Amino acid sequence: MAGFLALIGGTVALRQFAMQAIETNTKLANLSKNLNIPVQQLSAWGIAATMVGGSAQEMQGYIAHLTTESANLSNGLGSSLIPILGKMGVAMIDSKGKARSALDELQDMAKWAQGKDRKQVFAWFQQAGMPASVANLMFENPQKFAAMLDQAKKYSPTEQNASSAAQMTMQIALLHAQFNKLGYELLEMVTPVLEKFFSALKGGLDWCLTH
């Protein structure tokens, strides 16, 4: 009995792990397309953030924020980050007026932070909207930082992994829809029978209450 229950528990845990992996990689695939940043790079930066006690979601969220601000600036919409990043010597657009990669901007910010007072730099990073978990990674030694990214990339999903997860998400959604549709059809089929049953039951209860 204990072995059977352990088997069921292991199966449920495996299913949950698989579903979580599919969901995570699908979100990563969509974010990669939206930001035009390779899946492996996005994932590696997220993993690197967790290696210093941070959050992959916060890192990827900040990358999205930088990408949007740089795109706005290149499109003539301006950016609230110009003053603070300008003081750091971090360019948001290149010489041709095109938006720079958020990852290149983060690398520049990390280089700028080296050798400076951490408290002051952290305050500047906060002004740039950077979460503390992201800032902690920026303070790492450049060589260690690069090694962390290289190591994280080895354990990051490939473009094919993310694409497969996105396809699987679509199939799962369709399967759920099919089951729901089947439920609607079955309910419609049994509704007349249930109505007769409940009507008869109500009649029986009424008779009992009046006799």
Side-chain angles (χ1 to χ4, degrees), residues 2-74:
F4 178 68
L5 292 176
L7 178 61
I8 293 177
T11 302
V12 171
L14 183 60
R15 177 185 177 278
Q16 290 176 337
F17 174 78
M19 293 301 295
Q20 183 178 6
I22 291 171
E23 180 182 357
T24 298
N25 285 343
T26 299
K27 290 180 179 179
L28 197 60
N30 290 331
L31 184 61
S32 172
K33 293 176 183 177
N34 292 341
L35 304 183
N36 193 29
I37 296 176
V39 166
Q40 276 192 312
Q41 290 189 31
L42 270 178
S43 176
W45 278 75
I47 293 173
T50 65
M51 293 169 73
V52 294
S55 160
Q57 288 73 27
E58 284 193 339
M59 170 59 80
Q60 290 158 2
Y62 191 62
I63 290 173
H65 175 61
L66 287 178
T67 299
T68 299
E69 289 294 318
S70 296
N72 286 342
L73 183 59
S74 68

Side-chain angles (χ1 to χ4, degrees), residues 10-200:
T11 302
V12 171
L14 183 60
R15 177 185 177 278
Q16 290 176 337
F17 174 78
M19 293 301 295
Q20 183 178 6
I22 291 171
E23 180 182 357
T24 298
N25 285 343
T26 299
K27 290 180 179 179
L28 197 60
N30 290 331
L31 184 61
S32 172
K33 293 176 183 177
N34 292 341
L35 304 183
N36 193 29
I37 296 176
V39 166
Q40 276 192 312
Q41 290 189 31
L42 270 178
S43 176
W45 278 75
I47 293 173
T50 65
M51 293 169 73
V52 294
S55 160
Q57 288 73 27
E58 284 193 339
M59 170 59 80
Q60 290 158 2
Y62 191 62
I63 290 173
H65 175 61
L66 287 178
T67 299
T68 299
E69 289 294 318
S70 296
N72 286 342
L73 183 59
S74 68
N75 291 327
L77 300 177
S79 169
S80 60
L81 296 181
I82 293 176
I84 188 65
L85 293 191
K87 290 181 180 179
M88 298 181 195
V90 178
M92 299 175 67
I93 56 176
D94 60 22
S95 59
K96 296 181 180 180
K98 300 294 184 180
R100 294 184 68 213
S101 166
L103 303 186
D104 290 339
E105 294 172 13
L106 282 170
Q107 292 278 18
D108 289 348
M109 294 166 79
K111 292 176 183 177
W112 171 83
Q114 296 304 309
K116 295 182 175 61
D117 179 73
R118 180 163 180 153
K119 181 179 178 180
Q120 183 61 47
V121 171
F122 181 74
W124 282 40
F125 282 165
Q126 291 280 283
Q127 289 184 47
M130 182 184 292
S133 62
V134 177
N136 290 334
L137 185 61
M138 299 294 100
F139 289 122
E140 288 293 337
N141 174 277
Q143 288 75 26
K144 183 179 179 181
F145 188 5
M148 290 168 66
L149 286 176
D150 287 340
Q151 186 176 15
K153 191 173 182 180
K154 295 178 183 178
Y155 303 109
S156 295
T158 63
E159 297 288 340
Q160 182 59 48
N161 294 151
S163 177
S164 297
Q167 184 64 31
M168 185 63 69
T169 296
M170 183 181 299
Q171 294 301 323
I172 291 173
L174 289 174
L175 186 61
H176 284 168
Q178 288 177 322
F179 273 116
N180 288 337
K181 177 63 174 178
L182 178 61
Y184 303 148
E185 297 291 346
L186 290 174
L187 182 60
E188 185 174 348
M189 290 173 59
V190 301
T191 294
V193 177
L194 289 175
E195 287 179 343
K196 290 180 180 179
F197 170 75
F198 288 132
S199 178

